């Protein structure tokens, strides 16, 4: 690792602070000039549009002094010059760089949810050598199930751009289903039979990506068993009247979370003004093609669910779900075991009736 990596590893330029820190635009790059060792050397630090850093150091005659970048170069003088450069670069870094792992704001949001929900960790095993390359690991096994990267768009059919992407394991059966959707592309640098690339530019909603990440970590741990899973899924009454739909037919189609499978149980949380878990349903079928889009909802595949139970609105309200680790229901997620046990204590109550 070079001395530049030691200084800037894990740091990324704050574009809003570069000008105030003395950077100017030159040929598309941000450039900062400085003096090293009281003017004996002139330093030029360049930041490319992709955030890559390049330092050129020239002596008073204009000749480049490249030894500072040669790790094997030792001696009092080169170490003295390198230390002076490090001091100047550290000062620049502290003025206009921020410490973060990801180059993508969407990746930052997703990682924060995974840390809070599962305790999963993210790290850069390359120590800043590759911009935005971060692996997502399970907390228990430390095995990784996804990777974020900032890459040249030519590698994914988007030449002339830099793109933030997530490469995630989805399994061989799901790859052909996902590749037809907006924002999903063949895997980059991974086995295309079982992995896909997802663009991290908000063209794919956080909730949809989280579903894929949750499925990936489950695949990694071997948690997929013959037994069913239980899910908490949001429903917005402003967009769809569930109660009217269930009165007409106990079986309906619903937008599918990618990790849900036939035989699973879905608990539908109805948003404000209800703000409570209102229905328990059994998943009868999944991955059903279904093209629909309006200003609020987009669907290209759905699942068939069957109503098994209603809950009174006061039974599992959002304000009471916090003690089970549920503070918001923005997207599909697995049901916490403690919440499942609480619901299990209500199982003897007939559908639609209140316990006295």
């Amino acid at each position: 690792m070079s001395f530049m990596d030691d200084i800037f590893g894990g740091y990324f330029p704050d574009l809003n602070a570069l000008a105030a820190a003395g950077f100017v635009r030159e040929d598309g790059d941000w450039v900062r000039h400085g003096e090293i060792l009281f003017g004996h050397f002139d330093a030029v630090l360049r930041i490319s549009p992709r955030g890559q850093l390049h330092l050129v150091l020239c002596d008073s005659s204009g000749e480049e002094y490249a030894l500072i970048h040669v790790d094997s170069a030792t001696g009092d003088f080169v170490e003295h010059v390198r230390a002076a450069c490090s001091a100047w670069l550290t000062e620049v870094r502290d003025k206009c760089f921020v410490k973060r792992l990801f180059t993508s704001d969407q990746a930052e949001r997703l990682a924060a949810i995974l840390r809070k929900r599962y305790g999963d960790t993210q790290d850069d095993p390359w120590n800043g050598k590759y911009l935005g390359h971060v692996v997502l690991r399970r907390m228990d096994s430390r095995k990784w199930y996804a990777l974020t990267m900032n890459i040249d768009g030519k590698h994914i059919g988007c030449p002339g751009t830099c793109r933030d992407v997530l490469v995630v394991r989805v399994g061989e059966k799901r790859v052909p289903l996902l590749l037809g959707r907006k924002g999903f592309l063949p895997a980059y640098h991974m086995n295309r039979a079982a992995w896909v690339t997802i663009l991290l530019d908000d063209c794919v909603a956080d909730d949809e990506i989280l579903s894929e990440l949750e499925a990936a970590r489950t695949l990694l741990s071997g948690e997929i068993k013959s037994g069913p899973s239980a899910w908490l899924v949001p429903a917005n009454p402003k967009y769809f009247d569930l109660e009217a739909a269930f009165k007409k037919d106990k079986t309906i189609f619903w937008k599918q979370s990618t990790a849900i499978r036939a035989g699973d149980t879905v608990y539908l949380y109805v948003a404000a003004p209800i703000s409570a878990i209102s229905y328990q349903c059994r998943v009868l079928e999944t991955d059903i093609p279904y093209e629909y889009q309006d200003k609020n909802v987009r669907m290209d595949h759905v699942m068939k669910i069957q109503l098994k139970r209603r809950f009174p609105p006061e039974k599992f309200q959002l304000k009471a779900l916090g003690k089970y680790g549920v503070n918001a229901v923005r997207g599909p997620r697995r049901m916490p075991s403690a919440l499942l046990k609480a619901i299990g204590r209500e199982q003897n109550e007939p559908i639609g009736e209140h316990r006295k």
Side-chain angles (χ1 to χ4, degrees), residues 163-294:
R163 307 303 292 263
D164 288 301
V165 300
L166 173 77
V167 185
V168 59
R169 181 187 177 193
V170 297
E172 295 183 3
K173 292 182 179 180
R174 289 204 52 74
V175 169
L177 295 172
L178 295 174
L179 290 184
R181 301 185 196 175
K182 181 180 179 181
F184 288 83
L185 301 167
Y188 174 68
H189 262 315
M190 296 300 291
N191 182 356
R192 293 191 172 192
W195 296 67
V196 296
T197 294
I198 305 175
L199 295 179
L200 292 176
D201 59 1
D202 291 303
C203 68
V204 182
D206 287 1
D207 291 341
E208 188 170 359
I209 298 178
L210 281 170
S211 293
E212 295 298 344
L213 289 169
E214 185 169 64
R217 66 190 306 280
T218 300
L219 282 169
L220 183 65
S221 68
E223 288 177 359
I224 294 182
K225 304 180 178 70
S226 58
S229 298
W231 301 85
L232 184 60
V233 175
N236 194 325
K238 296 179 181 179
Y239 305 152
F240 189 80
D241 189 340
L242 266 171
E243 185 58 29
F246 280 134
K247 284 183 178 178
K248 184 177 180 180
D249 194 330
K250 292 292 191 295
T251 300
I252 66 171
F253 292 106
W254 194 255
K255 183 177 181 180
Q256 182 186 341
S257 167
T258 53
I260 295 177
R261 295 292 178 263
D264 287 354
T265 299
V266 167
Y267 293 89
L268 292 173
Y269 168 87
V270 181
I274 305 299
S275 301
I277 297 174
S278 298
Y279 307 97
Q280 175 184 331
C281 302
R282 179 175 175 79
V283 181
L284 302 179
E285 188 178 350
T286 59
D287 295 321
I288 303 169
Y290 189 93
E291 292 294 333
Y292 177 82
Q293 183 171 358
D294 59 25

Side-chain angles (χ1 to χ4, degrees), residues 130-176:
Y130 303 107
L131 190 68
H133 282 45
V134 183
V135 297
L136 283 64
R137 302 181 188 273
R138 284 187 63 103
M139 178 188 67
D140 47 10
S141 66
R142 299 293 299 154
K143 294 181 179 179
W144 67 278
Y145 53 87
L147 166 70
T148 68
M149 291 183 283
N150 179 269
I151 61 175
D152 190 324
K154 69 181 181 182
H155 298 303
I156 54 173
C158 305
T161 62
C162 297
R163 307 303 292 263
D164 288 301
V165 300
L166 173 77
V167 185
V168 59
R169 181 187 177 193
V170 297
E172 295 183 3
K173 292 182 179 180
R174 289 204 52 74
V175 169

